[in-house]
Structures are given as C-alpha cells and as structure tokens.
Amino acid sequence: MTERSFVMVKPDGVAAGLTGEIISRIERRGLRIVALHKAVMARSVAEEHYDEHRQRPFFDELVEFITSGPVVLLAVEGDGAIAVLRTMMGATDPKNAAPGTIRGDYALDVGQNIIHGSDAPGSAARELALHFADLDA
Ligand code: IDP
Ligand code: MG
C-alpha cells in the first residue's frame, strides 16, 4: 500500500555530511521524496515532535540535541514506506543496529543516531502535519 512517512536527518547526520548518502539510499530503494526542507528546528516544534517522550529522563537532552544544528526534513512516499524506512534505519541503539542499516553503518551512540523515521501510520500523519503543514494529504 502506498503510504507516506516523515524522515529526518538529525544534526549529527547533517554535520557528518551524510545527507546525500541517506537521500541516495532512500531513492535507490525505490521510495520517492515528495518534500524536503533544511532548517534548525524551533524548540517548541522539537518538543511537540517528541511529545511521546516528554516523561523520559533523556527528553531535555533529546530536544537540546535535535535543535543544536540544521536538520533535513523529508516526506517520503512508497509501497510500505513506513516499515521499509524503519528497517533501513536499523535499531534505535546503533550498537544493536545491523550492518547495512543507516544506524548500523554510521552511528554508535543512542543519543546521536543520525536519522528519525515515523514508526506507524498515526505518527507519520502527525509528524507530516507538524513539519509539512502545506503538504497535500
Ligand atoms: P526511534 O528514533 O528509533 O523511533 P525512540 O524510542 O522513538 O526511537 O526514541 C526517540 C529518540 O530518542 C531516539 O532516536 C534516540 O535519539 C533518543 N533516545 C532513545 N532512547 C534514549 C536513551 O536511552 N538515551 C538517550 N537518548 C535516547
Ligand atoms: Mg520513535
């Protein structure tokens, strides 16, 4: 089923020069970039984005990190895009991420794991509305 996901190259990925590599992997997989935007995320948007983690001990560190430099925000479309992108990203803790995944190839620290991708249709819709308000549904 064709669906859309929200993907973000985090500040560590942008700083490491991995934006092109990540976009290339997404496109070569057969998924389509339908919107793309580079920006430093406002603190209020970052807190909303990570709302589900508000009570976690790492929440402040997470918001601090995600607003620490430019990120690249992407709306990505394709067959089964949400789950396909999660598989391409690898496990949240890069130490557990399989080689060949983005986190498994380029990251080591759970707090700085290069990439975000929506984990379900509901979060994809919420995140796309938050970051790409003018994108047609
Ligand atoms: P996900 O990014 O794979 O969906 P989530 O559990 O939704 O993982 O966590 C969101 C982000 O919060 C992670 O990508 C990671 O950067 C950060 N995070 C998760 N767990 C920890 C932790 O234990 N310490 C520090 N940061 C964490
Ligand atoms: Mg998540």
Side-chain angles (χ1 to χ4, degrees), residues 10 50 52-53 58 61-62 86 92 103 110-111 113:
K10 295 184 179 183
Y50 281 123
E52 66 171 315
H53 297 305
F58 57 82
E61 182 190 330
L62 180 56
R86 291 290 294 191
T92 301
R103 287 165 171 169
V110 69
N113 58 8

PDB file of all heavy atoms in Angstrom, residues 10 50 52-53 58 61-62 86 92 103 110-111 113, ligand 1:
ATOM      1  N   LYS A  10      19.178  13.856  11.311  1.00  0.00           N
ATOM      2  CA  LYS A  10      19.402  14.600  12.556  1.00  0.00           C
ATOM      3  C   LYS A  10      20.682  15.447  12.452  1.00  0.00           C
ATOM      4  O   LYS A  10      21.476  15.275  11.516  1.00  0.00           O
ATOM      5  CB  LYS A  10      19.484  13.607  13.714  1.00  0.00           C
ATOM      6  CG  LYS A  10      18.175  12.844  13.964  1.00  0.00           C
ATOM      7  CD  LYS A  10      18.288  11.949  15.193  1.00  0.00           C
ATOM      8  CE  LYS A  10      16.987  11.210  15.468  1.00  0.00           C
ATOM      9  NZ  LYS A  10      17.083  10.399  16.726  1.00  0.00           N
ATOM     10  N   TYR A  50       8.632  15.248  19.723  1.00  0.00           N
ATOM     11  CA  TYR A  50       8.992  14.169  20.645  1.00  0.00           C
ATOM     12  C   TYR A  50       8.052  14.099  21.848  1.00  0.00           C
ATOM     13  O   TYR A  50       8.445  13.609  22.907  1.00  0.00           O
ATOM     14  CB  TYR A  50      10.447  14.329  21.094  1.00  0.00           C
ATOM     15  CG  TYR A  50      11.450  13.849  20.061  1.00  0.00           C
ATOM     16  CD1 TYR A  50      12.429  14.701  19.563  1.00  0.00           C
ATOM     17  CD2 TYR A  50      11.425  12.531  19.590  1.00  0.00           C
ATOM     18  CE1 TYR A  50      13.354  14.258  18.617  1.00  0.00           C
ATOM     19  CE2 TYR A  50      12.348  12.086  18.649  1.00  0.00           C
ATOM     20  CZ  TYR A  50      13.300  12.942  18.170  1.00  0.00           C
ATOM     21  OH  TYR A  50      14.220  12.499  17.242  1.00  0.00           O
ATOM     22  N   GLU A  52       5.767  12.150  22.808  1.00  0.00           N
ATOM     23  CA  GLU A  52       5.594  10.841  23.455  1.00  0.00           C
ATOM     24  C   GLU A  52       6.711  10.539  24.453  1.00  0.00           C
ATOM     25  O   GLU A  52       6.574   9.653  25.296  1.00  0.00           O
ATOM     26  CB  GLU A  52       5.523   9.716  22.401  1.00  0.00           C
ATOM     27  CG  GLU A  52       6.820   9.523  21.646  1.00  0.00           C
ATOM     28  CD  GLU A  52       6.856   8.277  20.744  1.00  0.00           C
ATOM     29  OE1 GLU A  52       6.431   7.212  21.182  1.00  0.00           O
ATOM     30  OE2 GLU A  52       7.324   8.407  19.592  1.00  0.00           O
ATOM     31  N   HIS A  53       7.830  11.274  24.357  1.00  0.00           N
ATOM     32  CA  HIS A  53       8.974  11.009  25.245  1.00  0.00           C
ATOM     33  C   HIS A  53       9.107  12.056  26.352  1.00  0.00           C
ATOM     34  O   HIS A  53      10.122  12.101  27.051  1.00  0.00           O
ATOM     35  CB  HIS A  53      10.274  10.972  24.434  1.00  0.00           C
ATOM     36  CG  HIS A  53      10.318   9.868  23.424  1.00  0.00           C
ATOM     37  ND1 HIS A  53      10.121   8.551  23.752  1.00  0.00           N
ATOM     38  CD2 HIS A  53      10.508   9.886  22.080  1.00  0.00           C
ATOM     39  CE1 HIS A  53      10.201   7.797  22.662  1.00  0.00           C
ATOM     40  NE2 HIS A  53      10.424   8.585  21.630  1.00  0.00           N
ATOM     41  N   PHE A  58      15.682  11.299  29.275  1.00  0.00           N
ATOM     42  CA  PHE A  58      16.542  11.867  28.233  1.00  0.00           C
ATOM     43  C   PHE A  58      15.845  12.939  27.404  1.00  0.00           C
ATOM     44  O   PHE A  58      16.417  13.448  26.428  1.00  0.00           O
ATOM     45  CB  PHE A  58      17.083  10.758  27.317  1.00  0.00           C
ATOM     46  CG  PHE A  58      16.026   9.917  26.646  1.00  0.00           C
ATOM     47  CD1 PHE A  58      15.391  10.342  25.488  1.00  0.00           C
ATOM     48  CD2 PHE A  58      15.671   8.683  27.183  1.00  0.00           C
ATOM     49  CE1 PHE A  58      14.420   9.566  24.866  1.00  0.00           C
ATOM     50  CE2 PHE A  58      14.693   7.894  26.565  1.00  0.00           C
ATOM     51  CZ  PHE A  58      14.067   8.351  25.399  1.00  0.00           C
ATOM     52  N   GLU A  61      17.716  16.384  26.965  1.00  0.00           N
ATOM     53  CA  GLU A  61      18.920  16.139  26.160  1.00  0.00           C
ATOM     54  C   GLU A  61      18.538  15.940  24.680  1.00  0.00           C
ATOM     55  O   GLU A  61      19.207  16.443  23.776  1.00  0.00           O
ATOM     56  CB  GLU A  61      19.597  14.882  26.724  1.00  0.00           C
ATOM     57  CG  GLU A  61      20.889  14.467  26.076  1.00  0.00           C
ATOM     58  CD  GLU A  61      21.314  13.070  26.560  1.00  0.00           C
ATOM     59  OE1 GLU A  61      20.986  12.708  27.718  1.00  0.00           O
ATOM     60  OE2 GLU A  61      21.939  12.358  25.769  1.00  0.00           O
ATOM     61  N   LEU A  62      17.437  15.236  24.471  1.00  0.00           N
ATOM     62  CA  LEU A  62      16.967  14.943  23.115  1.00  0.00           C
ATOM     63  C   LEU A  62      16.549  16.224  22.392  1.00  0.00           C
ATOM     64  O   LEU A  62      16.942  16.467  21.239  1.00  0.00           O
ATOM     65  CB  LEU A  62      15.788  13.963  23.214  1.00  0.00           C
ATOM     66  CG  LEU A  62      15.093  13.485  21.941  1.00  0.00           C
ATOM     67  CD1 LEU A  62      16.076  12.837  20.979  1.00  0.00           C
ATOM     68  CD2 LEU A  62      13.974  12.490  22.313  1.00  0.00           C
ATOM     69  N   ARG A  86      11.890   2.168   8.429  1.00  0.00           N
ATOM     70  CA  ARG A  86      12.335   1.743   9.773  1.00  0.00           C
ATOM     71  C   ARG A  86      13.377   0.631   9.640  1.00  0.00           C
ATOM     72  O   ARG A  86      14.366   0.612  10.365  1.00  0.00           O
ATOM     73  CB  ARG A  86      11.140   1.257  10.616  1.00  0.00           C
ATOM     74  CG  ARG A  86      10.168   2.344  11.034  1.00  0.00           C
ATOM     75  CD  ARG A  86      10.726   3.302  12.068  1.00  0.00           C
ATOM     76  NE  ARG A  86      10.992   2.706  13.346  1.00  0.00           N
ATOM     77  CZ  ARG A  86      11.283   3.404  14.457  1.00  0.00           C
ATOM     78  NH1 ARG A  86      11.331   4.744  14.419  1.00  0.00           N
ATOM     79  NH2 ARG A  86      11.531   2.808  15.579  1.00  0.00           N
ATOM     80  N   THR A  92      17.112   1.476  17.243  1.00  0.00           N
ATOM     81  CA  THR A  92      17.276   2.780  17.890  1.00  0.00           C
ATOM     82  C   THR A  92      18.682   2.952  18.451  1.00  0.00           C
ATOM     83  O   THR A  92      19.310   3.996  18.259  1.00  0.00           O
ATOM     84  CB  THR A  92      16.233   2.952  19.010  1.00  0.00           C
ATOM     85  OG1 THR A  92      14.931   2.832  18.442  1.00  0.00           O
ATOM     86  CG2 THR A  92      16.381   4.290  19.700  1.00  0.00           C
ATOM     87  N   ARG A 103      21.830   3.366  10.661  1.00  0.00           N
ATOM     88  CA  ARG A 103      22.433   3.477  12.001  1.00  0.00           C
ATOM     89  C   ARG A 103      23.554   2.464  12.191  1.00  0.00           C
ATOM     90  O   ARG A 103      24.580   2.764  12.824  1.00  0.00           O
ATOM     91  CB  ARG A 103      21.346   3.305  13.066  1.00  0.00           C
ATOM     92  CG  ARG A 103      20.420   4.521  13.180  1.00  0.00           C
ATOM     93  CD  ARG A 103      19.168   4.189  13.947  1.00  0.00           C
ATOM     94  NE  ARG A 103      18.366   5.384  14.260  1.00  0.00           N
ATOM     95  CZ  ARG A 103      17.137   5.328  14.738  1.00  0.00           C
ATOM     96  NH1 ARG A 103      16.558   4.161  14.975  1.00  0.00           N
ATOM     97  NH2 ARG A 103      16.476   6.446  14.998  1.00  0.00           N
ATOM     98  N   VAL A 110      23.271   6.010  21.115  1.00  0.00           N
ATOM     99  CA  VAL A 110      21.799   6.066  21.040  1.00  0.00           C
ATOM    100  C   VAL A 110      21.272   7.494  21.016  1.00  0.00           C
ATOM    101  O   VAL A 110      20.233   7.779  20.413  1.00  0.00           O
ATOM    102  CB  VAL A 110      21.154   5.254  22.197  1.00  0.00           C
ATOM    103  CG1 VAL A 110      21.389   5.926  23.553  1.00  0.00           C
ATOM    104  CG2 VAL A 110      19.668   5.055  21.954  1.00  0.00           C
ATOM    105  N   GLY A 111      21.996   8.408  21.639  1.00  0.00           N
ATOM    106  CA  GLY A 111      21.569   9.807  21.659  1.00  0.00           C
ATOM    107  C   GLY A 111      21.859  10.528  20.349  1.00  0.00           C
ATOM    108  O   GLY A 111      21.290  11.586  20.083  1.00  0.00           O
ATOM    109  N   ASN A 113      21.893   9.207  16.763  1.00  0.00           N
ATOM    110  CA  ASN A 113      21.745   8.043  15.877  1.00  0.00           C
ATOM    111  C   ASN A 113      21.312   8.430  14.460  1.00  0.00           C
ATOM    112  O   ASN A 113      20.639   7.677  13.776  1.00  0.00           O
ATOM    113  CB  ASN A 113      20.815   7.011  16.520  1.00  0.00           C
ATOM    114  CG  ASN A 113      19.444   7.580  16.845  1.00  0.00           C
ATOM    115  OD1 ASN A 113      19.136   8.711  16.452  1.00  0.00           O
ATOM    116  ND2 ASN A 113      18.615   6.811  17.521  1.00  0.00           N
TER     117      ASN A 113
HETATM  118  P1  IDP B   1      13.408   5.781  17.315  1.00  0.00           P
HETATM  119  O1  IDP B   1      14.129   7.043  16.923  1.00  0.00           O
HETATM  120  O2  IDP B   1      14.121   4.553  16.840  1.00  0.00           O
HETATM  121  O3  IDP B   1      11.950   5.793  16.933  1.00  0.00           O
HETATM  122  P2  IDP B   1      12.521   6.272  20.057  1.00  0.00           P
HETATM  123  O4  IDP B   1      12.378   5.214  21.085  1.00  0.00           O
HETATM  124  O5  IDP B   1      11.283   6.861  19.463  1.00  0.00           O
HETATM  125  O6  IDP B   1      13.478   5.691  18.903  1.00  0.00           O
HETATM  126  O7  IDP B   1      13.391   7.431  20.692  1.00  0.00           O
HETATM  127  C1  IDP B   1      13.496   8.674  20.046  1.00  0.00           C
HETATM  128  C2  IDP B   1      14.935   9.117  20.090  1.00  0.00           C
HETATM  129  O8  IDP B   1      15.290   9.380  21.442  1.00  0.00           O
HETATM  130  C3  IDP B   1      15.949   8.083  19.616  1.00  0.00           C
HETATM  131  O9  IDP B   1      16.125   8.096  18.212  1.00  0.00           O
HETATM  132  C4  IDP B   1      17.202   8.486  20.342  1.00  0.00           C
HETATM  133  O10 IDP B   1      17.892   9.516  19.630  1.00  0.00           O
HETATM  134  C5  IDP B   1      16.673   9.063  21.636  1.00  0.00           C
HETATM  135  N1  IDP B   1      16.783   8.085  22.716  1.00  0.00           N
HETATM  136  C6  IDP B   1      16.063   6.951  22.862  1.00  0.00           C
HETATM  137  N2  IDP B   1      16.436   6.273  23.955  1.00  0.00           N
HETATM  138  C7  IDP B   1      17.441   7.007  24.512  1.00  0.00           C
HETATM  139  C8  IDP B   1      18.242   6.833  25.690  1.00  0.00           C
HETATM  140  O11 IDP B   1      18.127   5.863  26.435  1.00  0.00           O
HETATM  141  N3  IDP B   1      19.181   7.807  25.920  1.00  0.00           N
HETATM  142  C9  IDP B   1      19.344   8.891  25.104  1.00  0.00           C
HETATM  143  N4  IDP B   1      18.598   9.086  24.007  1.00  0.00           N
HETATM  144  C10 IDP B   1      17.659   8.153  23.714  1.00  0.00           C
END
